[in-house]
Structure formats: structure tokens, C-alpha cells
Amino acid sequence: MSGHDNTEAKSRGIEDILTGYQGRPGALIPVLQETQEVFGYLSRENMEKIAGALHIPFSKVYGVATFYAQFHLKPRGRNIIRVCLGTACHVRGGEKILDAVSKELNIKPGETTKDLQFTLERVACLGACGLAPTLMVNNETHGRMKPENVPALIQNYRGRDREETAVH
Amino acid sequence: MAMTLEEFTKKSEGIRRNFRKGQTKPAEIVVGMGTCGVAAGAQDVYDTLINEIKRLDLAVTVTPVGCIGMCEQETLVDVVREGQGRVTYGRMTPEKMKRVLQEHVIGGRVVEDLVVGNLEGDEEQPYPGLDFYRKQKRWVLNKCGFLDPEKMEEYLGYGGYQGLVKALSEMTPEQVIEEVKKSGLRGRGGAGFPTGTKWEFARKSPGNKKYIICNADEGDPGAYMDRSVLEGDPHAVIEGMIIGAYAIGANEGYIYVRAEYPLAVHRLEIAIKQAEEWGLLGDRILGTEFGFHLHIKQGAGAFVCGEETALMASIEGERGMPRTRPPFPAQKGLWGKPSNINNVETFANIPLIIRNGGAWYASVGTEKSKGTKVFALTGKIANTGLVEVPMGITMREIIYDIGGGIKDGKRFKAVQIGGPSGGCLPESLLDTPIDYDSLTQAGAIMGSGGLVVLDEETCMVDLARFFMSFAASESCGKCTPCREGTKRMLEILTKITEGKAVMEDLDKLEHLALVVKDASLCGLGQTAPNPVLTTLRYFHHEYEAHISEKKCPAGVCQSLIKYQVIPEKCTACGKCQRACPVGAITGKGREIRFIEIDRCIKCGACYAACPFDAIAKV
Ligand SMILES: Cc1cc2nc3c(=O)[nH]c(=O)nc-3n(C[C@H](O)[C@H](O)[C@H](O)COP(=O)(O)O)c2cc1C
Ligand code: FES
């Protein structure tokens, strides 16, 4: 949903998010989480609005947003691929899976494809270590990965992406 | 549905009495739908099952459950059929599911070639016939894999919330604390602090606003005990928290759970809502004076937030940086109020202790480590999975008797326990009993329960480097020894793996490790050197080989290995050539292939592709 350009709905979105949290202690992180959920990333503009609404300095919002691995200050792909490089996956060849995904998408970890279809990231443990090596696409975890199965897996998400755009 | 204690007791007794008795359907199918199961394809199996049942119009109940622990065999499906007991099938696919439906569920013939075992035991010891379970003692995991975690009635059916009822109706908060102290329970989050004593501090700390927090951050890469408990039996953790809140006098609580665990968050949300509807959370719980409100906070991806003071800073909406202690959380915790923080598994033990008594709990374990511990057994082991064992069992028993030894007939090298804060133990220490003190003595720690088994193909220097790079990137930067020290250690380790180090570097590395251990502000820095120190202690020869011989004995460090074709073994099949992504392999037709060192990027694709073992790493 983050890929669709519907500025009007989005600008109403941030105000909506904020009204739910004003005056609540410890609201900053949940607000950032929800904002990122809706917009796909945290733009400077939105972070400024958040600072204003919660009555905290912009520097604090920025400090928190850059501290946590979960937050992103740049637009990201519609599909987020997170390859696990936790201990169990490391000893069972997680790097090879990362290389295979990287090669298939032609981007490095941390990057997003030009068409904004995929973002590739590393993660330290998805909690499915018994099925190492693993990776996660959006909220779906895939275990027992092999480099040779990577292209088909990605193709599957490419297909889904097309179906969705056809519906809209 | 606000109920008094008596009404609730009566109602839950009724549920227990009739639990699963009224099932009139001739067959029941149970599908393991934890994250592991789903990662192995359980959703497809489940969907196929539901469609087929509809299509064939079968009278069958389907129950999705959490993880029973045999990750190696996921996706797991149980079939219960009148007179045939409960049969567990492993490595299921949609195709195999259809077969089981046809042959077993409809035809009444067990599909022997897909069977993993017969679930003939009880929840504590479900498969007496399987080595994987024989030495386990499933107390905390008791209901994981048995109940449907999204239904309150299931938890009540298994005796849930009886601990809470007992605490509220028969015990004072002090008596609850006394019972927990008697049990000898120590914190399962890593450090092993006695839980009852911690609760006592929080209880005695002055103030009428107190918090209780559940640490479900589980940042140790290679561990998933807490996730499995949250997904498989969320009410157990909630019940433990309510009892804890009653004991210390807290009326508000948080579960801080990492965002990488969407399913656990989802199940917790459902469970909290149910507990509220049943009057087990909220004001005046079960008609008593005691009230308690529980919230979920999702972590945002920072390992250091598992540290208790950083976690509280994170709940407050700050950057998750640790604070100096004292003051301890029990004095000044969340928002400056007295707070108590425990791990998921610690809380999950509480209902058992209250129900069965502290003495019962303390009857298992060693002198100073009581009860059971859950471990995530992973790495190069034959049977990966989630295991729960009595304290005092040896590492050897876990790895060989339960885990089935090393995968693919390779040789054991070491076991890593306790994650980035823990250590690597060699073969000679395999008889170390699992208890807090013995492990600390060996240079490792109990940690939260990650056990990663390593074989001859693991390079210990590379592994130390791996953990150091993790620590360096997760260091929050607040204190200098950790921020700078981990980076410098990483540089030295990288130099070693690239064959550029000299012997003096080892002394520097060890010296730095000791300084960082002593001088860091929080547990992250204080324990980050452990993987380095234990590998230096037990695998010194591997470091030396990298430095003086410029060799990586395990064949892992890329700068130190070369790939070569063994001419006698090469059959000129050309598979390596096709696999090579950079065209570094020459030779045509029936010619023996040759790897051009200058072009080779050492990716290992040829090595993996060769069916004749004709490529060597030297
Ligand atoms: C860097 C670091 C990470 C930690 N991560 C966790 C964690 O993920 N889960 C956990 O329960 N405890 C973790 N701890 C330990 C907590 O600080 C705290 O001791 C624990 O939650 C107390 O609960 P317990 O007494 O029940 O063990 C971590 C500690 C440090 C220093
Ligand atoms: S280490 Fe990869 S899932 Fe845990």
C-alpha cells in the first residue's frame, strides 16, 4: 500500500494517527511505527509534524528514528525481503542465501529496486532457527532455504504484486 | 462477563470436566501452526486440509496449535482417530496431506512411511517412543502443541488460571513471594537472579504506583524459546504476570515483544482481550480489590533493548540506552516508579509453581538451579528443535541423546551457549551439567537458552568475528569501552580471518576483551567479549593456524582458501563450469576442468555443484 501515490489520503493519515496518541506518555515509538506502517517510511515532513503534535523537539524524533533498526528515512519497496544472518543461519549458510537474493534482484543489502518492488535487508534472527537458513518476505517466514530456490520464491511475489496492481 | 472468584472457579471447573469430551466427530486433525510450522509451509497444508474436508464433506475437527518442538520434522500434523490413538506425521506437504486424508482419516490405515511417532504419553513426555523426547521434561512447554492458543476455553480446559485463583483466594502477596522463593526459580532471561527475591524488593519498595514488565525482546540470534511460548501458550505468560502483579502490588504492566514476531504479537493481543472479557484483567479482578491492566509494546529492532533499563527507556519512547544501576528498577524503574521485569519463560513458570507448590518445583534440578530450562537446539545438529530439560542434565545428553548428534555424520567441534554474551564449549566440556554456576565457571553463561551446535566445518575465529560484528553494530554507543572496544576487537578479528595478523595481535585482542568486560556500562559490553575469550581459551590453535600458517583449518575464511580441481576425480561433466558465476573455470568437452585463481571469487558454487567431490578447498 505504501507504493501508491495518494497524497491527499496520506496527509489526512498522519493527523489521524496523531490524534490517537496525543497526551499519552511514551507515544513516540508507537506513532513512528504506525506512521511507517501507513507511509512505508518516515519523511522529514512527517517527523516534523510528529514533533509538533507531541510537543517534543524534532531532534528527539530524529534521534529515536535513527536509533532503531526498524525505522527508515527513505522510501522502501512494496515487498521487504529480510534475510536472516543470525547465528543458526550463519552456520548453515545464510550468507549464500543473501548473495542469491542480492543477485536475483541486482541490489545490495539495504537497497531498494528502482521500480520500488523490493527492498533487501539483513536481520539477526527471525526465531525460526530450527529451519535455518531462513528469510522473511513481508510478514511471511520461509525456512529451509536453498540458493537455487530463491528465484522462484521472488518470482512468486512478483506475480502477487502484479495481481494486486491489476485489481486496483 | 465480570465474575466473582466463585463464579469463575465454577465455570472453569465445568469447562475442565467436559473438556474435549463432547467431541462427536470421528476424527480430529491437529496442525502445528507456530512460526516454524508456517515457515516450513504449514499454511498451505492447512488450507489444503480445509478445502479437502469441505470438498469431501468429512466430519473432522481441525485444531491449529503451537509448536511441539520438533522443528526438524515441520510441518507436523497429528491425526486422532477412535481406537488408533494420536499419530504424528512429519514433513507434511499439501500432497502428503491429501494422502493422509484418504488413507488414514477416511480409510483407517495409518500411512506408515510418513509417521514420525505416536503421541501416546502425556504433555510432559508426549512421545515415549522417540529419543528426542525421552530425556525431556516439558513443564513450561506443557501445553505448547496441545492447545489452540487462540481460545480461552482450551487454556481453561488444561487447568489454566487455577494458579491465579489459588493466589487470589488463598494467599497473601507475601505468601506468593514466599512460594516463589521456595521454588528456587531463577530468572530465565540470562543472568539467573532469584525471582522471589526480586519480587520481594519490588514489593517492599515504597510507592503506590508500580509496574510489572515482561521481557519478550528475545534478541539473541539463534534462540526462539520465548517466541514459542508466546505463540503456543500465551495465557500462561499472562497468568504469570497477573500473579506477579498481585505479589508486588503493581496495577499496570507491559509486555515488550520484538516486532520480528508478528504471530506472537497477534496471539498476545487475542489473549489479552479474552482475559479482559473474562474479568481476569482490568479493575477488580474476579470481584477482588486487586486490579491490573496489561499492554503490549512492540520493540523496534535494537538488541540492547533486551537489557532491562534500556527496555524501560524504550517503553518511555526514548532511545533504548541503558542507565547505570543503582538505582535498580525495583527502586526507580519505568517512569521513575518501582518496577519489576522478568523474562517470558520466568513468568510462564509461575502458574505451575503456585498451583503445585514451591517444594514440588524445587524437587527437580541441582542444588542451586531448580526446575527445567527450555533450549533452542540449532546449528549442525541432526534434530533441531525446542527442548525442555531438567536442570543438571549434561550438554552431552542434550546434543547426543536428544539432538541425535551431528548432522550428516560430521564431527562435533563446539557448542555455543548463550548467544552473543555466551561462550563456545569444546568436546572436553560436554559433560558440564546445565546449571547457572557450572556454565559460568566454564566461561560461558546459561543465557536465555540458545544452543548452537558447531561441527568441523565451522571456523571458530570466523564465529568469534561474527559475534563481535553483531556486538559492534548493536552497541548503543553510550559508553566508550563498548562502543570503541568492540570495533577494535572486530578489526583485529577481521585481520586474523584475512591472514594479515601477527601473533602479538592475539595478546592485544585478549587484553582488549578483558578491558571491555570490566569497564562497560551494561551487560552488552560486559559480556560481548565472552565468545572471543572462550574461543581463545579452547581453540587457540585455530587462531594460530590463521596467523602463522595463513590457513583456515575449517575452510571457511575466504581469503585463506583456494578452490582446486582434483584431476583424478574430475569426470569432465562440466557442472562446475555451469555453476561458476564469473566464468573462472576453463576446459572444454572431455578435458579436465581448471579453476583460474585470479578470476575465482571463492563463492563455493563449484564446490557445491560437483557431484564427484572433485573440487577441493585448500
Ligand atoms: C544486551 C542485553 C540483552 C538482553 N536481552 C534480553 C532478552 O532478550 N530477554 C530477556 O528476558 N532478558 C534479556 N536480558 C536480561 C535483562 O536485562 C534482564 O536481566 C531480564 O529480563 C530479567 O528477567 P529474569 O530475571 O526473569 O531473567 C538482556 C540483557 C542484556 C545486557
Ligand atoms: S538465526 Fe536465523 S532464524 Fe534464528
Side-chain angles (χ1 to χ4, degrees):
Chain A
M1 92 203 264
S2 50
H4 303 285
D5 203 58
N6 192 339
T7 328
E8 204 201 352
K10 277 185 184 173
S11 81
R12 231 181 298 123
I14 181 88
E15 268 78 47
D16 281 351
I17 294 171
L18 282 164
T19 42
Y21 286 100
Q22 267 149 11
R24 289 230 318 250
L28 179 55
I29 292 174
V31 168
L32 292 174
Q33 280 169 333
E34 209 173 301
T35 308
Q36 179 161 296
E37 177 98 338
V38 173
F39 294 86
Y41 76 109
L42 301 171
S43 66
R44 181 175 177 112
E45 199 190 340
N46 278 341
M47 284 194 287
E48 280 169 353
K49 282 189 191 160
I50 291 170
L54 298 180
H55 304 293
I56 47 178
F58 174 73
S59 61
K60 183 170 165 191
V61 178
Y62 185 80
V64 169
T66 49
F67 181 84
Y68 293 100
Q70 191 192 16
F71 296 125
H72 305 276
L73 307 192
K74 285 204 198 109
R76 296 200 306 154
R78 287 185 287 281
N79 297 293
I80 314 294
I81 304 185
R82 314 211 289 166
V83 180
C84 180
L85 296 176
T87 321
C89 292
H90 175 78
V91 303
R92 279 206 188 178
E95 274 81 6
K96 297 226 160 83
I97 307 298
L98 183 68
D99 289 346
V101 180
S102 185
K103 198 171 137 207
E104 180 66 23
L105 296 176
N106 204 9
I107 49 172
K108 289 202 209 59
E111 294 180 351
T112 299
T113 53
K114 281 216 186 69
D115 58 3
L116 289 185
Q117 211 173 29
F118 293 100
T119 296
L120 174 59
E121 290 171 357
R122 333 157 177 253
V123 62
C125 197
L126 296 170
C129 324
L131 299 174
T134 65
L135 62 76
M136 193 175 201
V137 187
N138 308 327
N139 266 354
E140 294 168 20
T141 312
H142 300 268
R144 296 197 188 111
M145 286 302 301
K146 295 200 180 108
E148 57 266 32
N149 300 344
V150 164
L153 180 89
I154 291 177
Q155 201 49 44
N156 188 4
Y157 285 91
R158 282 203 178 108
R160 282 198 219 174
D161 224 43
R162 236 179 320 246
E163 267 168 42
E164 260 182 48
T165 4
V167 173
H168 287 285
Chain B
M1 215 192 294
M3 279 177 275
T4 62
L5 265 167
E6 290 80 53
E7 286 163 354
F8 179 81
T9 311
K10 219 155 135 205
K11 184 148 186 184
S12 51
E13 263 169 17
I15 290 178
R16 270 206 307 285
R17 236 188 344 264
N18 297 318
F19 189 49
R20 294 198 176 157
K21 289 228 179 78
Q23 263 156 12
T24 44
K25 302 216 174 143
E28 187 193 354
I29 300 178
V30 182
V31 188
M33 301 277 282
T35 291
C36 297
V38 175
Q43 193 65 50
D44 289 345
V45 172
Y46 185 82
D47 294 344
T48 306
L49 179 62
I50 299 293
N51 285 337
E52 285 294 291
I53 289 175
K54 236 188 249 150
R55 190 175 69 85
L56 301 167
D57 197 19
L58 300 176
V60 181
T61 356
V62 179
T63 314
V65 295
C67 170
I68 199 159
M70 279 189 282
C71 303
E72 193 63 38
Q73 301 292 346
E74 293 282 4
T75 299
L76 291 161
V77 173
D78 293 358
V79 174
V80 194
R81 215 166 169 281
E82 197 58 44
Q84 285 177 320
R86 180 162 168 174
V87 182
T88 302
Y89 294 105
R91 297 234 171 197
M92 291 298 279
T93 59
E95 286 317 307
K96 290 182 189 165
M97 190 68 245
K98 286 187 194 160
R99 223 184 114 198
V100 168
L101 261 182
Q102 281 299 338
E103 294 179 26
H104 187 175
V105 179
I106 300 173
R109 287 184 316 276
V110 176
V111 189
E112 296 293 347
D113 57 310
L114 301 178
V115 172
V116 177
N118 292 304
L119 207 162
E120 322 168 295
D122 54 11
E123 289 80 18
E124 182 177 316
Q125 179 51 268
Y127 298 90
L130 293 183
D131 287 342
F132 186 72
Y133 286 96
R134 206 164 291 132
K135 291 199 167 174
Q136 290 199 47
K137 200 172 200 52
R138 293 169 40 104
W139 281 3
V140 169
L141 299 179
N142 203 275
K143 297 180 276 314
C144 290
F146 287 93
L147 57 71
D148 180 344
E150 300 190 3
K151 297 213 173 89
M152 174 64 107
E153 288 77 7
E154 293 260 311
Y155 185 65
L156 294 176
Y158 272 106
Y161 287 109
Q162 282 189 65
L164 177 67
V165 166
K166 183 168 169 192
L168 292 183
S169 56
E170 300 168 22
M171 299 165 86
T172 63
E174 286 76 12
Q175 284 170 324
V176 171
I177 292 175
E178 207 41 53
E179 210 56 47
V180 175
K181 276 170 109 178
K182 214 191 283 169
S183 74
L185 175 67
R186 293 170 67 171
R188 300 295 192 239
F193 194 83
T195 306
T197 312
K198 195 152 134 181
W199 286 14
E200 194 166 39
F201 289 147
R203 168 102 212 145
K204 291 193 172 147
S205 193
N208 47 21
K209 178 79 196 175
K210 294 181 187 173
Y211 292 98
I212 193 159
I213 302 166
C214 174
N215 190 341
D217 200 39
E218 191 151 70
D220 169 1
Y224 55 99
M225 306 73 51
D226 296 348
R227 173 183 68 66
S228 298
V229 174
L230 292 171
E231 287 176 2
D233 196 8
H235 279 290
V237 180
I238 296 174
E239 185 181 355
M241 285 191 79
I242 307 175
I243 296 173
Y246 173 70
I248 70 163
N251 62 7
E252 199 167 355
Y254 289 90
I255 303 180
Y256 187 91
V257 51
R258 60 196 296 247
E260 284 85 353
Y261 289 176
L263 187 60
V265 173
H266 175 69
R267 299 228 165 117
L268 274 174
E269 281 169 351
I270 296 176
I272 289 179
K273 197 154 164 276
Q274 288 166 345
E276 284 168 352
E277 283 165 6
W278 280 73
L280 299 164
L281 281 174
D283 298 324
R284 301 185 53 84
I285 290 173
L286 298 180
T288 64
E289 290 297 304
F290 164 62
F292 178 59
H293 296 263
L294 186 56
H295 321 280
I296 298 175
K297 279 272 174 177
Q298 287 197 41
F303 173 65
V304 72
C305 285
E307 196 279 339
E308 53 192 30
T309 58
L311 187 151
M312 290 186 235
S314 180
I315 294 182
E316 292 170 9
E318 307 280 336
R319 304 206 276 176
M321 287 183 165
R323 301 165 184 163
T324 41
R325 295 174 306 176
F328 288 95
Q331 304 154 307
K332 247 179 137 183
L334 188 59
W335 283 302
K337 305 287 181 216
S339 306
N340 180 82
I341 177 163
N342 281 119
N343 166 264
V344 170
E345 195 184 328
T346 313
F347 279 125
N349 271 302
I350 297 295
L352 302 173
I353 292 173
I354 299 302
R355 247 176 80 183
N356 303 322
W360 165 82
Y361 192 83
S363 68
V364 162
T366 64
E367 193 197 334
K368 289 192 181 144
S369 304
K370 302 295 188 194
T372 62
K373 176 78 194 92
V374 183
F375 288 100
L377 193 54
T378 66
K380 308 290 188 69
I381 184 114
N383 303 321
T384 58
L386 200 68
V387 306
E388 182 172 353
V389 289
M391 293 278 190
I393 194 172
T394 66
M395 202 74 92
R396 191 184 299 281
E397 288 172 281
I398 297 186
I399 294 171
Y400 287 93
D401 299 348
I402 296 176
I406 308 303
K407 205 175 156 67
D408 304 329
K410 295 267 170 26
R411 266 196 30 226
F412 172 88
K413 185 184 262 180
V415 53
Q416 211 283 339
I417 176 165
S421 326
C424 297
L425 302 182
E427 170 105 52
S428 61
L429 289 177
L430 275 185
D431 292 312
T432 309
I434 300 278
D435 68 61
Y436 290 94
D437 312 286
S438 311
L439 287 169
T440 308
Q441 209 177 0
I445 58 162
M446 174 81 78
S448 55
L451 273 186
V452 186
V453 177
L454 311 168
D455 68 2
E456 53 194 322
E457 292 184 347
T458 317
C459 167
M460 301 310 283
V461 186
D462 171 72
L463 192 76
R465 188 186 166 277
F466 165 81
F467 280 119
M468 197 47 71
S469 102
F470 180 80
S473 70
E474 294 296 335
S475 170
C476 77
K478 185 167 177 174
C479 76
T480 319
C482 174
R483 184 185 65 234
E484 298 300 323
T486 52
K487 284 217 173 55
R488 298 292 90 81
M489 283 194 278
L490 177 61
E491 283 165 10
I492 298 176
L493 288 162
T494 306
K495 247 168 84 183
I496 300 175
T497 56
E498 288 174 349
K500 293 180 189 153
V502 292
M503 283 310 257
E504 286 77 71
D505 285 323
L506 287 186
D507 299 332
K508 260 191 230 162
L509 181 63
E510 185 164 2
H511 178 72
L512 251 175
L514 293 171
V515 171
V516 173
K517 197 177 166 93
D518 282 345
S520 293
L521 170 65
C522 86
L524 197 159
Q526 289 159 11
T527 58
N530 284 351
V532 171
L533 288 168
T534 48
T535 46
L536 275 173
R537 182 158 147 200
Y538 300 122
F539 300 93
H540 210 267
H541 52 279
E542 280 196 36
Y543 282 88
E544 287 168 29
H546 282 74
I547 296 173
S548 47
E549 295 161 39
K550 308 281 176 228
K551 278 224 161 82
C552 174
V556 171
C557 297
Q558 292 209 349
S559 316
L560 302 181
I561 51 171
K562 275 191 292 220
Y563 287 94
Q564 268 175 8
V565 176
I566 307 170
E568 303 82 63
K569 286 196 183 170
C570 179
T571 64
C573 71
K575 282 215 167 101
C576 57
Q577 217 162 10
R578 286 192 288 277
C580 179
V582 291
I585 302 181
T586 54
K588 280 197 215 87
R590 306 295 311 152
E591 285 168 19
I592 285 174
R593 297 303 190 262
F594 179 79
I595 302 175
E596 299 211 10
I597 301 292
D598 301 341
R599 256 194 271 167
C600 173
I601 55 165
K602 300 179 183 174
C603 69
C606 55
Y607 184 80
C610 179
F612 307 102
D613 290 331
I615 294 186
K617 276 196 241 181
V618 290

